[in-house]
Amino acid sequence: MRKCREKKEAEREAEREAEREAEEEEKAEEAEAEADKEEAEEESEEEEEEEEEEAEAEEEALGGDIEDLFSENETQKIRMGLLDWYDVNKRDLPWRNRRSESEKERRAYEVWVSEIMLQQTRVQTVMKYYKRWMQKWPTIYDLGQASLEVILLFQFGRIN
């Protein structure tokens, strides 16, 4: 009986020891993972700094702005060529519609909404969402009256 008890106690002690070792191993793995994460973040920050420095160096090598690379007359020709190309090739988008002087605020709101939507997807996809949005909240004042909950539900297509 005594041997049985000693055997059970030895087994329990072995189990406790195994649990302690498992906990220590888990803590060591967590510490290693945290160290890896910190190292990756540092590397990422270093890479970003290097990219910024490279971009600055490239800009300096090129002379900075277009005006630094070309004469005033050449710069004007380039600008006019780009504007002419745009006039011929531009897409007809609702937020580009010209508005009267009195409607500048509304146009600014339309452009703002389109810019936010275009950060998330392509123009072709944005068109139907933009039209629905502008029907629901045609001005920034209308949008300001809506609750965040309603806006989010609308944004994710859960309400019309």
Side-chain angles (χ1 to χ4, degrees):
M1 182 98 142
R2 186 174 178 205
K3 285 184 180 184
C4 187
R5 230 185 264 146
E6 288 174 358
K7 185 178 178 183
K8 285 184 181 182
E9 285 179 21
E11 287 174 357
R12 285 187 200 131
E13 184 59 34
E15 286 177 8
R16 284 191 288 261
E17 183 63 29
E19 286 175 4
R20 281 192 293 270
E21 287 175 5
E23 286 176 6
E24 288 175 11
E25 187 176 314
E26 188 177 321
K27 287 178 184 177
E29 288 175 358
E30 287 174 0
E32 186 178 330
E34 185 64 31
D36 289 347
K37 180 181 174 184
E38 289 174 6
E39 185 179 325
E41 287 174 357
E42 288 174 10
E43 288 176 4
S44 177
E45 289 173 6
E46 289 173 5
E47 288 174 5
E48 286 177 17
E49 288 175 11
E50 287 175 11
E51 288 174 4
E52 287 176 15
E53 289 172 4
E54 287 175 10
E56 288 173 7
E58 187 176 310
E59 186 175 315
E60 281 181 29
L62 293 174
D65 294 329
I66 190 172
E67 290 86 359
D68 298 331
L69 297 173
F70 301 99
S71 70
E72 190 174 326
N73 190 30
E74 290 171 321
T75 300
Q76 194 61 26
K77 284 182 182 176
I78 292 168
R79 286 182 176 148
M80 294 308 296
L82 287 170
L83 291 170
D84 289 342
W85 176 90
Y86 175 80
D87 286 339
V88 171
N89 295 289
K90 68 182 176 188
R91 290 184 278 187
D92 183 30
L93 302 171
W95 50 88
R96 287 188 181 159
N97 293 337
R98 296 279 181 210
R99 299 234 179 249
S100 66
E101 193 68 24
S102 64
E103 291 185 297
K104 273 187 174 181
E105 189 174 298
R106 180 179 168 113
R107 181 164 190 271
Y109 169 68
E110 291 172 350
V111 170
W112 176 66
V113 169
S114 72
E115 289 291 332
I116 291 169
M117 289 181 176
L118 289 167
Q119 288 177 10
Q120 300 171 12
T121 189
R122 300 179 357 223
V123 172
Q124 186 177 10
T125 306
V126 164
M127 293 299 290
K128 71 178 182 180
Y129 292 105
Y130 174 84
K131 289 176 182 172
R132 283 182 51 233
W133 183 280
M134 295 311 292
Q135 287 173 348
K136 182 102 173 150
W137 299 294
T139 69
I140 197 162
Y141 302 107
D142 296 317
L143 180 61
Q145 297 299 312
S147 71
L148 180 58
E149 181 181 3
V150 169
I151 293 169
L152 292 173
L153 288 171
F154 185 83
Q155 171 90 17
F156 295 112
R158 296 204 172 96
I159 63 169
N160 289 327

